[in-house]
Amino acid sequence: MHNNEKHKREPRFHIAKRDALVWWKAWLIRGCAVLTALVVSGIITVLLTGLNPIGVYATMIDGAFGTTRRIWSLFQNIAMLLCVGVAVTPAFKMRFWNIGAEGQVLVGGLATAACMILFSETLSTPVLFIVMIAASILAGMVWAVIPAFFRANWNTNETLFTLMMNYIAIQLVSFFTYQWSVPKGSGQIGVINRATKIGWLPAIGGHSYLLNILVVLALTVFMYFYLRHSKHGYEISVVGESENTARYIGINVKKVIIRTMLLSGAICGIAGLLLVSGTDHTITRDTVAGRGFTAIMVSWLAKFNPLYMILTSFLIVFLQKGAVEISTTFGLNDSFSDILTGIIIFFIIGSEFFINYAIKARTVQKGENA
């Protein structure tokens, strides 16, 4: 009697953690999630606007690939998002929740802008570039190592600490933007060295963004091998799994935390350099444009694999570019395009559940009530 009651109380279905799926099955699940998201988005499009969803999707593609200029802009935005994603990945792999990439990139860009404004007439171009690179990297490292130092020594909450550092960086940029504003008091710096282009990263083959893209690709490959095939990468993985285990096998956890955040901040500083010197040629509080937060999603969706992050960066930037084109072409407000983007990203994130877990039915024994 007791056994029968026990069986009746057992659920018919239960969730079980999967063994690691082979890569192609994982990507097949993600692909099915994208297709499902497109179907759902199409239904929502018809219900809310009456538009043909095929035409909407074609407009998204045109917004990203319609002209040569759009293609280069797409690659540039992918590169910058990827760069920030690469920067935060070692920290996340270590389970250090670095939410401060926005501020770290911003102070790197501020350091670059300061060099372009203050030293353009006193330093030769090669020396100026060296100073800009060093200053941006140092600024990003300082902004990242402060919360790392407190976390390593006093176990402070790095999520709140790094988040608060973002607001300080924004206010610093606001202050100096006003100090360097042109005309004075306007609150806008404008294009720095517009006439001379001193401090601007050079165009390669006539393409202004190509150098940015090449630098980010080099950083991505470096980070892949650093995390997968170096002693430091191994230590990051162990600390991320268990700090106690890391201490037990002789890893200096404090050293790993500080060293990893220095690396993360340095790459964020480079991202700031590329944005200011290679793309915008100015600095505002909105220069990073939320990439520091979007990069978190890029890194997590790629399972902290820098090479997979190329795909996740492409997907997110493509959706953003397509959403803008939808709003422009069909006269819809930005909210609708955000709805479509949100649905697609939701399905992609949700697919990770089916990659990691399986829904299994309980076997009903003969003579047992279901």
Side-chain angles (χ1 to χ4, degrees):
M1 182 70 178
H2 177 72
N3 288 337
N4 288 337
E5 291 177 356
K6 181 179 178 182
H7 283 305
K8 288 178 182 178
R9 289 195 298 268
E10 289 181 355
R12 184 67 186 272
F13 298 94
H14 69 280
I15 298 172
K17 188 168 179 62
R18 292 182 187 271
D19 295 329
L21 286 178
V22 294
W23 68 270
W24 66 267
K25 287 185 178 179
W27 282 100
L28 180 62
I29 291 174
R30 293 187 181 103
C32 291
V34 171
L35 291 176
T36 305
L38 292 176
V39 171
V40 173
S41 296
I43 294 172
I44 297 295
T45 299
V46 173
L47 292 177
L48 295 183
T49 68
L51 296 171
N52 181 350
I54 303 299
V56 171
Y57 295 147
T59 301
M60 292 179 69
I61 295 173
D62 183 66
F65 300 103
T67 65
T68 302
R69 181 179 179 83
R70 288 178 178 178
I71 292 172
W72 277 105
S73 177
L74 176 75
F75 288 157
Q76 151 68 11
N77 281 276
I78 291 171
M80 296 317 306
L81 180 58
L82 176 61
C83 188
V84 185
V86 166
V88 300
T89 293
F92 285 145
K93 195 173 180 67
M94 187 178 61
R95 297 299 189 267
F96 184 104
W97 311 121
N98 179 19
I99 314 299
E102 192 89 0
Q104 292 153 26
V105 175
L106 204 54
V107 295
L110 179 62
T112 299
C115 293
M116 293 171 68
I117 293 170
L118 301 177
F119 303 135
S120 62
E121 296 181 359
T122 58
L123 298 178
S124 64
T125 299
V127 175
L128 177 61
F129 276 121
I130 293 173
V131 172
M132 286 165 51
I133 294 169
S136 61
I137 290 175
L138 181 61
M141 290 172 70
V142 168
W143 221 248
V145 81
I146 293 173
F149 179 79
F150 279 84
R151 166 70 170 78
N153 288 282
W154 296 290
N155 201 32
T156 56
N157 187 313
E158 71 272 12
T159 303
L160 292 176
F161 207 135
T162 53
L163 184 62
M164 292 302 102
M165 295 289 285
N166 288 337
Y167 294 103
I168 299 173
I170 290 171
Q171 296 309 316
L172 275 175
V173 170
S174 298
F175 173 79
F176 283 105
T177 299
Y178 182 81
Q179 290 294 109
W180 299 328
S181 58
V182 179
K184 195 68 176 177
S186 65
Q188 298 291 329
I189 296 177
V191 177
I192 303 171
N193 302 332
R194 181 193 294 270
T196 61
K197 296 186 179 181
I198 295 175
W200 292 25
L201 291 181
I204 298 179
H207 300 294
S208 300
Y209 301 146
L210 183 55
L211 182 58
N212 284 21
I213 295 168
L214 294 176
V215 170
V216 174
L217 282 176
L219 289 173
T220 302
V221 173
F222 161 77
M223 187 59 71
Y224 175 81
F225 284 101
Y226 179 82
L227 293 176
R228 293 298 186 95
H229 303 290
S230 73
K231 178 185 176 183
H232 289 181
Y234 168 75
E235 291 177 343
I236 288 172
S237 298
V238 175
V239 171
E241 290 295 327
S242 170
E243 290 188 12
N244 290 331
T245 301
R247 292 189 184 96
Y248 180 78
I249 63 176
I251 295 175
N252 187 332
V253 174
K254 291 182 180 180
K255 181 179 178 181
V256 172
I257 290 173
I258 292 175
R259 181 183 66 210
T260 302
M261 283 302 291
L262 283 171
L263 174 62
S264 183
I267 298 178
C268 281
I270 293 174
L273 168 74
L274 297 178
L275 282 171
V276 173
S277 180
T279 304
D280 298 340
H281 308 123
T282 189
I283 183 76
T284 71
R285 58 188 292 160
D286 298 319
T287 291
V288 188
R291 291 183 180 92
F293 299 107
T294 309
I296 298 171
M297 185 163 53
V298 167
S299 182
W300 276 85
L301 285 175
K303 299 291 187 182
F304 310 131
N305 185 318
L307 298 184
Y308 290 164
M309 284 163 55
I310 297 174
L311 297 177
T312 54
S313 297
F314 166 79
L315 175 65
I316 291 174
V317 173
F318 168 76
L319 291 175
Q320 291 172 342
K321 290 282 186 182
V324 172
E325 188 66 17
I326 288 172
S327 299
T328 303
T329 302
F330 296 104
L332 302 173
N333 60 42
D334 294 338
S335 298
F336 177 74
S337 56
D338 289 340
I339 289 171
L340 297 187
T341 302
I343 290 172
I344 295 172
I345 292 176
F346 173 80
F347 272 84
I348 294 170
I349 294 174
S351 70
E352 297 301 312
F353 171 84
F354 296 97
I355 292 172
N356 295 304
Y357 298 93
I359 300 175
K360 296 185 177 181
R362 179 174 61 86
T363 303
V364 179
Q365 302 294 331
K366 186 176 180 180
E368 177 187 339
N369 293 326

